Structures are given as C-alpha cells and as structure tokens.
Amino acid sequence: MTPRFPGHPAPTQPGPGQESVWDYPRPPRVEQTSDRIVVRLGGAVVADTTAAVRVLETSHPPVYYLPASDFAPGALTRTSGSSMCEFKGRAAYYDVHGGGETVERAGWHYPTPEPGFGELEGRVAIYPSAMDSCEVAGEGVQAQAGDFYGGWITSRVVGPFKGEPGTLGW
C-alpha cells in the first residue's frame, strides 16, 4: 500500500520498468546495483564504478554510495563537520576535486554505520547538484531538490519527491 502523508499530492503511478519512491520503505533499505555509475567534475571523471549500493527511503529518490576505492586518486579530501541520520548514524564529509575544481562538502560517508547499514562502510555518496554530471547506466541524473538531500533522479523513479518547498513534513 502506498503511504500518504499530509499535504503531499498523490503518488505518480509507475510505468513499466519504473519504481515509485512512495513504495520505498522507512526505515530505508540498502540495495546492491551493478549499474555503471560515473561522476564528473571539472570535465574529469572523479568516480566510475559498477559496485555501488543505493539507499531507498520513502519519498526520496535513491542515494548512490560508491566504493571510495573507485574514486580517482586525490578526488576526495576529508573535511570538517558531521551530521546525524537517525537510521544510518553519524556522517562525515569530503571535499571533491576534479579537473582543477574543488567543491566543498560535496560528498559524505558513514565511517561507522549503524546496524543494518554496514554495506555503507567504505562508500561515499555525492550530491549530484554539486557535480558537472552524474550518470546511472548512461542516463544523466537530475538532483533531488533541496540543499540537504542527495537523491539521484532518473527516468526509472517517479515521485513526487521530498525536497521541494512545502515538503518538509512528508
């Protein structure tokens, strides 16, 4: 059954080969994917992998976590600050470097993820809005709205998506 939250419009009905973010669970689920993920910054490839996982959570497009080892040498530099997720634990941040450009706090990871999220250890998520481009299986990604969220929107997922003004309570 698709959940309903006060103030959000009816979920879009998924077509063939699509998923509705309203069918994703809460607490979130971690799922392996063999799709090729490519991230570019400054015209350079900063990450390229077929060993990512995606985190699926109600109302959010998937967040992709890539093995840190699949980033280009020097693409990630630990930076200050942290945040807390009630499910995954305490996140730490990275500056991302590529093609002579640096974007501060554009990536994050969970050094010691909470139980049930161990697959995130050694993996880094990237804000797609901060990069030149992010691709999933050759398709360009649209960033989830909102500065806090890091969801990757492709034609495979339908919303509506949390992040737009007025969606905080979803």
Side-chain angles (χ1 to χ4, degrees):
M1 181 170 159
T2 302
R4 294 286 302 186
F5 290 83
H8 90 68
T12 302
Q13 195 67 355
Q18 291 184 314
E19 305 169 339
S20 170
V21 298
W22 292 96
D23 292 330
Y24 292 164
R26 186 166 172 85
R29 175 177 78 235
V30 179
E31 180 179 274
Q32 299 268 336
T33 180
S34 61
D35 287 336
R36 184 174 182 202
I37 310 298
V38 179
V39 178
R40 290 180 180 83
L41 178 63
V45 172
V46 295
D48 189 341
T49 189
T50 57
V53 297
R54 52 187 209 146
V55 173
L56 309 176
E57 181 174 359
T58 304
S59 78
H60 295 272
V63 176
Y64 287 80
Y65 287 78
L66 291 59
S69 60
D70 288 345
F71 281 80
L76 300 172
T77 303
R78 281 291 307 273
T79 191
S80 62
S82 67
S83 61
M84 186 69 183
C85 171
E86 65 183 307
F87 302 113
K88 297 180 287 288
R90 183 159 305 282
Y93 289 85
Y94 286 105
D95 293 341
V96 180
H97 314 276
E101 293 185 29
T102 295
V103 182
E104 296 179 357
R105 295 176 55 96
W108 72 95
H109 75 123
Y110 292 92
T112 310
E114 291 294 318
F117 294 92
E119 290 177 274
L120 300 183
E121 191 169 352
R123 297 177 186 273
V124 178
I126 297 291
Y127 289 107
S129 61
M131 301 293 104
D132 291 349
S133 66
C134 297
E135 296 174 8
V136 176
E139 180 182 350
V141 167
Q142 177 186 339
Q144 180 179 10
D147 293 338
F148 180 74
Y149 305 110
W152 295 34
I153 301 171
T154 65
S155 62
R156 292 191 217 169
V157 294
V158 296
F161 307 109
K162 186 172 184 172
E164 298 286 347
T167 64
L168 185 60
W170 290 3

